[in-house]
Every structure is written in structure tokens, then in C-alpha cells.
Amino acid sequence: MQLYDMPDDRGHFGPYGGIFVAETLVEALEELRVMYERFRHDPEFLAEFAHDLKYFVGRPSPIYYAKRWSERVGGARIYLKREDLNHTGAHKVNNTVGQALLAKRMGKPRVIAETGAGQHGVATATIAARMGLECVVYMGSEDVKRQAPNVYRMKLLGATVVPVESGSKTLKDALNEAMRDWVTNISNTFYIIGTVAGPHPYPMMVRDFQAVIGVEAKQQMQEMIGRQPDAVVACVGGGSNAMGIFYPYLNEENVRLIGVEAAGLGLATGKHAAPLTANSSVGVLHGNRTYLMQDEDGQIIETHSISAGLDYPGVGPEHAWLKDSKRAEYVAITDDEAMAAFHSLCRTEGIIPALESSHALAYAEKMAATMSPDQVILVNLSGRGDKDINTVAGLSGITL
Amino acid sequence: MSRIKTTFDQLKQQGKKALVPYITAGDPHPDLTVKLLHTMVANGADMIELGVPFSDPMADGPVIQRASERALVHHVGLSRVLEMVREFRQQDNVTPIILMGYANPVEAMGQEKFSDRAQAAGVDGVLTVDYPPEECKEFTALLQARGIDPIFLLSPTTEPARVEVIVNQASGFVYYVSLKGVTGAKNLDIEEVAQKVAEIRTLTDLPVGVGFGVRDAATATAVAAIGDAVVVGSRMVQAVEQSNDQNLVDNVAALMKELRIAVDAA
């Protein structure tokens, strides 16, 4: 396989990605692109990034062999990359540290972010507090209701949380509103996008900041089992934790890369958030061209997943490219399957996984059962499930 | 020759500036859109920008967002908008219609199919907010081959070198966004607009339209003194929003008359 060299200088991954924004944003994106190009290989910048990841985030995150769970599933051995052990409890913080360092170098005193489940909002509020930056987080009003603890966390950290009332009042609308803020306050504001979507350079930049996951994993797997896993499995909403662990593995041909989308109530019901697995059509949303959930008029349709972090109608353009090029495979897991894996991991390993990550766990479980114990699956356990206990309790008819 | 060029040429001979109102197709109801278009023309509109509703109008402020939502309740998509233009053309074959919207509905229909249908319906210009020139060279060619003008935005932050790239791909006119922000924002700086429009004029002979912050007669007069066309969006949509079925047409007509006087006073 050729050395992977994506995207091109205007952010294209084959036919996907690009810069599809109003003219009012073009100059800001160009400024960001130039600054990121300047710093992405700068030793001083990278040293500061590495320092913060080590001492503030707590990296490297360990890889843990889920022995009891693997034995119970029967089949392949399952290893977990423990992003849930990061400060703030998910992989999201890796990226916010990187972008906040860039914001500081660009002299922007104010950062904004969009958030769905609230993990990216919390991670942004956290780093903003540490660096003394003003922080405004846009969150769909539906999500504000669903994720009250994270809303309060952000407020404790000094951020302003703005409920977004437009459209479907979820993550996509929060992203629209953050873009509107950015275009209005361009001179003093840095927009910290939380996933590998948005216009160039965001998909590339977020991937690069998250790639620490895969870089560590390759080294850790070598140390632990003397080779790389047979498959790497990660959940995909926008797709940042998956890109982070996939990217360093792209040139490792023998490692299967599997992205797990949210099948919600089932692909056949239409109530899901799995544009890649369902072979949705291609379109333009949030600054890039990618697979989208849309109706025949090109209106974006509402998605469904039990997990707010996967409840997004698009997907990062690099995943669209990896699907078409067949370097990665995409599958989907229903709400019920994810819930079963969630409980299973809690009981056998003493780890409460995020509902997002539970989708990856559920697929790993299915897959492991068809494999032998000399084979290895590495799952990116992208976040912890403390934020989800209200949702889970509610499904059992319990009010906390 | 396109209706847009004809219109600008005629206005120039008369020493007048173009008044270009915007409404969102299907707002407040699809049955009223064509009637509103004729009403605006009868009361002083030289060209019309017709908004194509979209579920995720990223560049629009709350007023036009709400208009999109009202239209989407009635499932007004691009096909329906083209039907409205066709109906409008049965009685008006002179006034240019410029569709303004987002890329995804065009992508969903297909760029070529859209171009064919827009031509057949009698569309004169297409402004696709999130298609910067680099991402829509083929689309531009498809439109121009059918006599439709691709309209592009220029912003206060657009550098001169980039203005040149954009005006080379544009025809009909270019649309200067007179402030940093979304549609309907408030902070219009007339001196800055004058300076930037003067700079644009050194780079192109195309007419320059100005919009995104024209809120009343005073700003309309000020902008008309600078640009070749004054685009009024959120203020028009506000008039639609604040009307009921009984006074809608009268309110839109009254606002148009007021704006016409303001533009002609420049």
C-alpha cells in the first residue's frame, strides 16, 4: 500500500472534505490553515502539547486486557485503549488541548465550541479555564435537557453555555450556531471544533491531535503482545476517536480497521445515525462534502441514537474516503446491543463505559465470538459512562 | 443577454440604483410566494432574491432561520421553488430572479439537473452561499452555459487577490456582504463599506450589490449611494413574519414603497 497522504492542500480526501463555507469565513479558515501548517511540525509547539497531554491529561492512557470479558465472550482476546481514564473522562480533551495551544499562539482570548453529549464542551471549558480563555459553548436545547450534569460541569469551569433553539435543537444545530458566532466575532475568537468534521483544516487538525491515541497504542501493543492487533474497533459519530486510533494504523495493511456507527432503533427503521453503514447519499454540510442523512430535497434529517455523542447526521470526510477506498469497514450497532455490552463490561470488568464506546464494545463482542483466542481485537474505549447513568437508569425505569 | 445585465444597464441609463428584496420561498405559506413576488415588483423591486429553504442555514441570522423553518413545515424544497419561479414567469418575463441558498439541496438534485431546470423555470442568477469559487468551477460553467449568472459573495475580510479570483468566476453582479456576521446583524459601518466597495470597483466592472445589514430607509439610502444594488433581506422577512393573512400583502407593499423612496433618494 502506498504511504497515506491525505488530505490535499484544500482539505480533500478524494471527493470528500474541502472548504464549503460562506465567504465571510474563508479568511478566518485561511488564517487558521496557515497557522496550523506553521505549528504542526514546530518542535516547541509539539513539546508543549506533549507536556500538557502527560501532566494535565494524564497520558499515556493504558491498554488493558479485558481477560474476564474476553473469556466470557469466548474467542478473540479483547484489549481496551483506556481513553476513559483521561482527565475529563474521554478522548475529547486531547484535541481541545491542541487547539487551545494554537488559539493562544494566534492571540485569540476567546474560544467557542459546539457540543452534543457535553464531553467536548466540558473538555473545552476545562482547557479554557486552565489557560485563562473566555469560553462559550453552544449546545442544542434538547441536549441541555438530556445532559444536565455536563451542563453544570461546564458552568463550574467558568464557561457560558448557550442553549440552541433552532432546527432539531441538537448537535448539528449547535454547530451551526457556533459557526454564526465565529463569523461575527472572528477577530478575537477561536472555534474549537470537537470532531473530524467541519471545513478544512479541522478534519485534518483534529485527526492529528487525536492521533496520539493510535501512536501510543502501536507502541503499547508491541510491548504487551509483541505484535499489532488483528483488528482495531472504534465508534463513529463525527469520528474523532476512531480517526485518532485508525490514523497511525493506516499503513499497517494487516490490521483491520472497523468503525461502528449507531444503528439506533435499527437501520431498517430509518431511526439511526449511521450514514456510512446505511449507504446514505453524499452531500455538503458543515463545511465539507461527506455522507449525510438527508431527505430527497437535500434537507438534513433528524437522527436517532441512545448516545448523544453519536447522534450526528454526517460523518468526518476522511471516514467517507476510508469507506470508499475500503481501507476501513463500517458497521452499525443498535441501541439495545450497545446497552447489553454496556452492562456486560460493567459487571465483568468493573469499567463503566460511555454509551458511545459501548457501540464499539458491542461490535467487538460479536466479532470476537467468531475468532480464536490467538487473535486480538483492540477497542478504543473512548470515554467513561458516568455521564450516562441517568439515561441508563431511566431505561430501567429508575429516577436518580 | 441575461435579465440581470439588462436591468442594471437600464437602471444606469436612468441614474438609478437597483432595489433587491429577499424573501424565503414558502414563507409564510407556499401559496403566497408568487403573489408576494408580484407585489414586490409592483412596488419598486428591480430584481428579487428568492431564498431556498434549508434545514441548516449556517450563514443566516435568527430572522431568516425562522423563515426557513416556516417554509419547511410545508416541505418547500428546491423543486417546489423552481415551480414558483415558473409560475411567476407566466406574468413577468422581465424582473430577474436570483435563487439564494445552500449547496446541499443543489447537490441532492444534481448540479446539472438543477441547472437545466433552473433555466427552464426562468431563473437568472444563483447564489450558493457555501460554494466558494474553488469548490464550484464545474457548477459555474454549467450555469453560465445556460445563461444563468453565478453570483458570489465578497466579505469585509476578502483580500484583494481573492476578490480577483472571485470576480473572474462571477457574472451578473457581485454581492458585497457589508458586515462581519450573519444576515440581519446590526453593526453596519458605512465608511468601511464605501472604502471596500471602491476597492472592489478597481478590480471589476461588474455591478456591486450590497447587503446583510440594510435595516431601514436610512441605511438603504446610505448603501444606495455606494453600491449598484441594495439587497434587503432580514427586514423584508421580518415584515412577512410580523404580518397576518389579512395584512401581509399590504405590509410588504408598504415596506417596498418606503425602501424605493429611500434608494432613489441616494
Side-chain angles (χ1 to χ4, degrees), chain A residues 27-288:
Chain A
E27 204 54 38
L29 286 165
E30 178 61 10
E31 182 192 7
L32 177 61
R33 191 189 66 78
V34 168
M35 291 302 269
Y36 182 58
E37 284 301 330
R38 189 170 134 197
F39 287 113
R40 66 188 294 209
H41 304 298
D42 176 63
E44 205 179 304
F45 179 82
L46 293 174
E48 196 177 345
F49 182 48
H51 178 276
D52 279 7
L53 288 182
K54 181 173 178 183
Y55 294 100
F56 188 64
V57 175
R59 304 201 71 89
S61 66
I63 286 184
Y64 167 74
Y65 172 34
K67 188 162 181 288
R68 257 166 57 78
W69 193 52
S70 302
E71 284 170 3
R72 193 170 135 175
V73 171
R77 286 175 286 155
I78 304 174
Y79 287 71
L80 308 177
K81 177 64 171 163
R82 297 291 307 275
E83 290 300 299
D84 60 315
L85 296 178
N86 292 338
H87 181 38
T88 72
H91 72 289
K92 290 288 186 192
V93 70
N94 303 325
N95 167 53
T96 59
V97 167
Q99 290 198 46
L101 288 174
L102 200 56
K104 247 180 98 176
R105 276 171 172 70
M106 291 172 71
K108 309 277 184 181
R110 179 174 181 268
V111 294
I112 57 172
E114 84 294 340
T115 198
Q119 292 304 99
H120 174 59
V122 168
T124 303
T126 298
I127 197 69
R130 174 167 175 271
M131 292 191 180
L133 302 168
E134 184 193 345
C135 179
V136 176
V137 179
Y138 291 93
M139 190 170 185
S141 60
E142 281 298 315
D143 290 332
V144 169
K145 272 184 250 162
R146 290 195 282 190
Q147 308 286 340
N150 269 344
V151 173
Y152 188 58
R153 270 184 201 107
M154 288 184 263
K155 288 180 179 169
L156 286 176
L157 292 161
T160 305
V161 179
V162 181
V164 176
E165 301 288 350
S166 56
S168 60
K169 306 178 173 60
T170 61
L171 176 58
K172 75 175 180 72
D173 310 286
L175 215 152
N176 292 334
E177 204 56 37
M179 284 280 183
R180 292 179 188 121
D181 177 314
W182 196 31
V183 77
T184 310
N185 301 295
I186 254 165
S187 53
N188 73 341
T189 298
F190 188 105
Y191 180 14
I192 300 185
I193 293 187
T195 192
V196 287
H200 182 64
Y202 283 102
M204 173 180 83
M205 179 170 70
V206 176
R207 173 199 73 192
D208 292 352
F209 288 142
Q210 291 293 2
V212 64
I213 304 171
V215 169
E216 285 175 6
K218 278 177 85 172
Q219 194 187 338
Q220 290 165 320
M221 288 312 291
Q222 196 61 42
E223 286 165 12
M224 291 175 84
I225 62 167
R227 68 178 179 91
Q228 296 306 325
D230 298 282
V232 174
V233 179
C235 64
V236 176
S240 69
N241 90 80
M243 259 342 291
I245 197 163
F246 287 179
Y247 184 56
Y249 276 107
L250 288 176
N251 287 320
E252 301 270 340
E253 285 176 71
N254 296 324
V255 179
R256 286 173 68 189
L257 303 175
I258 301 168
V260 185
E261 296 186 299
L265 301 180
L267 294 184
T269 66
K271 296 194 178 306
H272 59 82
L276 293 175
T277 314
N279 252 319
S280 303
S281 44
V282 171
V284 169
L285 179 69
H286 294 152
N288 67 94

Side-chain angles (χ1 to χ4, degrees), chain A residues 23 180 284 289 298-300, chain B residues 55 57 60 69 104 107 162:
Chain A
E23 188 57 31
R180 292 179 188 121
V284 169
R289 183 177 278 134
Q299 311 295 353
I300 307 305
Chain B
S55 54
D60 284 302
E69 286 177 15
N104 201 52
E107 301 240 326
R162 189 172 165 78

Side-chain angles (χ1 to χ4, degrees), chain B residues 14-97:
Chain B
Q14 298 162 13
K16 289 167 83 171
K17 300 299 178 72
L19 173 57
V20 187
Y22 165 103
I23 58 167
T24 300
D27 172 34
H29 192 281
D31 293 347
L32 295 169
T33 301
V34 174
K35 191 173 183 187
L36 285 179
L37 297 179
H38 289 307
T39 302
M40 293 192 290
V41 174
N43 291 281
D46 299 303
M47 299 187 239
I48 291 171
E49 266 190 21
L50 186 59
V52 181
F54 182 48
S55 54
D56 294 78
M58 229 167 65
D60 284 302
V63 173
I64 293 179
Q65 285 174 50
R66 287 197 297 270
S68 239
E69 286 177 15
R70 285 191 295 270
L72 287 173
V73 168
H74 303 287
H75 305 286
V76 176
L78 190 49
S79 291
R80 189 85 182 267
V81 176
L82 291 171
E83 283 168 30
M84 292 172 182
V85 176
R86 182 193 294 275
E87 197 187 326
F88 172 77
R89 280 280 168 256
Q90 290 170 358
Q91 286 177 52
D92 185 330
N93 202 25
V94 179
T95 311
I97 297 274

